[in-house]
Amino acid sequence: MFADSYLNKNNNEPIIQSDAEPGTAIIVVIPCFREPEIKQTLESLKACHLPSCKVEVIVLINHSEIATPSVKEYNNATHAELTCWIENNEIEGLKFYAPAPIELKKKWAGAGLARKKGMDEAVRRFNKLDTPDGIVVSLDADTLVEQNYLVEIENYFQQNAKHVGATLAFEHQKEGLKPKQKEGILLYEKYLSYYKQSLDFTGYPYSLFTIGSAFAVRALAYVKRGGMNRRQAGEDFYFLQNLVQMGRVGEINTTRVYPSARLSDRVPFGTGPILQKWMNGEEDLTLSYNFQAFVDLKALFDVKNSLFKIDETAFENTLQNLPATVAEFIRIDGFWRELENLNKNCSALQTFQTRFYQTFNAFKILKYLNFAHETYFRKANLEEQLLLLNTAVLTQSNIK
């Protein structure tokens, strides 16, 4: 079967004892750690229009092996509650599972390992069905979905047979939020959009939203990529940025998910911690990366083709014609060595063009932006940077 080697390597024992029904082609995975709103998420899924294939939902209740008794009691109560809910909400074509809480090794316990355990279980089930094109969907236990959620996921992957994955449109829940919290989440959404659009402006081909509750991946691509990582935060970002190196990760904009905008200190970064810092006055969401940093980066990406088979002298001459921010970062980062290795392994320009962005990837871009704002720029007003971005995009469009 397609995932035998991966499953054996990762010592994946079955979490759910029964096999998936033939015809199952979508499995939604929901990590669940001390989640008070999980039933609302399940009710949201239950209300969905059903696709032509069969669908499973796996709620992966989890905690660390050193979790406090109160956390374990909470999770056990959640398990009992969901077991009862599932028994009373049987639907033809939509199967819910909420196995007993699993204990995670204390070294790795967190969002990444929990999501990995659930997604690995989905792959194990697809493997037994020999369904490498099965869709593993990542959702969170505080997230609601639109009624066409499952149908549109099925439609997208049927219409884009070569795509390895997709992100889904999202909008945070805002009903009932206090004014400052609502202001914070609106600013955060605006920042996410600004960042993605700015990457698009530079010419970077793999810009995407990396939200844990808003992506899907084919089972075979998940296996080839090496599965989900065990990071305690940011696991979605690392997974998706590596996935785009394997194939096309598209966007599903015909449906939407609604993550919670709750405050949280469970993980070191992400929506919850950022909002918490905003509420505490420790984070100013009205500020963002200076747009000039993206303009400078675009200057590099515009001349990337000239770096194909370039020698070191010509490379240094190229740097002299680039903005100081980018040129200094490249020197400090040792990019010449990476470029030299890249050129050794690329016989054609087309191959170089693709692999260039595997080298100067989203991780390096983030590293560059942080360097630029430590050395050359200060973070600037988000609204003003959006205006600069929109003006630059309009100008670029008119030139074309």
Side-chain angles (χ1 to χ4, degrees):
M1 298 295 188
F2 73 93
D4 283 351
S5 178
Y6 171 82
L7 294 169
N8 290 334
K9 181 180 178 181
N10 286 271
N11 299 314
N12 278 293
E13 294 297 322
I15 296 174
I16 300 168
Q17 298 309 312
S18 60
D19 293 338
E21 294 181 8
T24 300
I26 296 175
I27 300 180
V28 181
V29 175
I30 308 174
C32 179
F33 169 74
R34 208 178 61 202
E35 292 288 352
E37 309 296 337
I38 179 61
K39 280 207 302 182
Q40 292 184 25
T41 300
L42 299 191
E43 291 284 0
S44 177
L45 288 164
K46 179 189 172 185
C48 283
H49 304 307
L50 294 183
S52 61
C53 68
K54 292 181 179 178
V55 179
E56 289 188 351
V57 177
I58 300 174
V59 181
L60 204 288
I61 306 172
N62 68 94
H63 51 248
S64 169
E65 61 186 352
I66 58 168
T68 63
S70 63
V71 168
K72 293 181 179 181
E73 287 171 13
Y74 193 105
N75 277 350
N76 285 329
T78 298
H79 173 244
E81 185 178 22
L82 293 189
T83 299
C84 181
W85 185 91
I86 291 169
E87 289 174 354
N88 291 295
N89 289 275
E90 292 186 2
I91 301 175
E92 181 66 29
L94 178 60
K95 194 90 171 172
F96 291 92
Y97 293 96
I102 64 169
E103 292 197 341
L104 306 178
K105 294 290 185 182
K106 62 181 180 180
K107 181 178 179 180
W108 298 106
L113 182 54
R115 204 177 299 280
K116 175 179 172 59
K117 287 283 187 182
M119 297 182 85
D120 282 3
E121 177 66 7
V123 166
R124 189 189 66 78
R125 297 174 71 74
F126 280 135
N127 192 56
K128 292 206 74 172
L129 293 174
D130 195 20
T131 308
D133 277 343
I135 308 304
V136 183
V137 184
S138 180
L139 192 64
D140 282 343
D142 61 355
T143 302
L144 306 178
V145 302
E146 289 189 337
Q147 282 189 309
N148 65 345
Y149 174 73
L150 297 173
V151 170
E152 291 304 321
I153 289 173
E154 179 187 53
N155 288 343
Y156 179 87
F157 282 97
Q158 285 180 346
Q159 294 167 11
N160 298 278
K162 294 184 178 181
H163 289 197
V164 298
T167 61
L168 286 93
F170 67 93
E171 180 183 337
H172 290 88
Q173 300 168 39
K174 301 179 181 72
E175 187 176 348
L177 296 182
K178 294 179 180 179
K180 184 173 176 62
Q181 190 174 352
K182 185 175 182 179
E183 181 188 9
I185 195 60
L186 287 169
L187 284 168
Y188 184 60
E189 287 181 343
K190 192 169 286 189
Y191 157 74
L192 292 174
S193 179
Y194 165 69
Y195 188 83
K196 181 180 183 300
Q197 289 181 65
S198 295
L199 287 185
D200 288 335
F201 170 77
T202 67
Y204 181 68
Y206 302 133
S207 67
L208 43 78
F209 292 115
T210 54
I211 306 292
S213 57
F215 72 89
V217 57
R218 293 189 190 274
L220 180 58
Y222 177 87
V223 168
K224 286 185 174 180
R225 188 242 163 253
M228 178 58 63
N229 57 78
R230 298 179 294 187
R231 291 178 177 273
Q232 294 177 331
E235 78 287 351
D236 42 11
F237 173 80
Y238 284 88
F239 176 81
L240 287 168
Q241 293 299 342
N242 283 319
L243 185 65
V244 296
Q245 311 297 339
M246 289 181 48
R248 178 70 184 275
V249 178
E251 298 179 3
I252 301 175
N253 294 312
T254 50
T255 190
R256 194 174 297 266
V257 301
Y258 297 91
S260 170
R262 69 185 180 187
L263 308 179
S264 174
D265 58 2
R266 291 184 179 186
V267 292
F269 54 89
T271 307
I274 286 174
L275 281 178
Q276 185 70 66
K277 290 178 180 179
W278 162 258
M279 295 295 287
N280 294 341
E282 300 166 2
E283 181 93 19
D284 188 353
L285 293 176
T286 66
L287 301 179
S288 186
Y289 290 121
N290 194 306
F291 181 61
Q292 187 60 44
F294 293 101
V295 174
D296 291 356
L297 184 61
K298 183 180 186 301
L300 169 65
F301 291 167
D302 283 349
V303 299
K304 70 179 184 304
N305 290 355
S306 68
L307 303 179
F308 179 57
K309 298 301 182 184
I310 198 171
D311 60 35
E312 192 168 5
T313 300
F315 176 71
E316 281 297 327
N317 290 335
T318 300
L319 291 189
Q320 291 177 18
N321 293 317
L322 289 175
T325 46
V326 178
E328 186 175 347
F329 172 76
I330 284 175
R331 290 192 180 99
I332 291 173
D333 193 58
F335 185 61
W336 164 250
R337 292 189 297 274
E338 294 177 276
L339 183 63
E340 193 175 28
N341 184 58
L342 181 62
N343 273 316
K344 285 179 181 177
N345 292 285
C346 293
S347 58
L349 176 60
Q350 187 175 1
T351 305
F352 175 86
Q353 290 170 331
T354 299
R355 293 185 181 176
F356 177 86
Y357 290 114
Q358 294 175 0
T359 302
F360 211 112
N361 54 26
F363 309 111
K364 193 178 290 293
I365 289 173
L366 193 57
K367 188 176 178 182
Y368 155 74
L369 288 170
N370 290 331
F371 164 81
H373 285 78
E374 289 168 0
T375 313
Y376 287 89
F377 302 119
R378 290 184 179 180
K379 289 194 173 182
N381 181 270
L382 175 58
E383 296 287 354
E384 293 176 1
Q385 303 318 296
L386 271 167
L387 281 174
L388 291 171
L389 166 65
N390 292 334
T391 300
V393 169
L394 184 61
T395 301
Q396 190 179 54
S397 178
N398 288 337
I399 292 173
K400 289 180 180 178

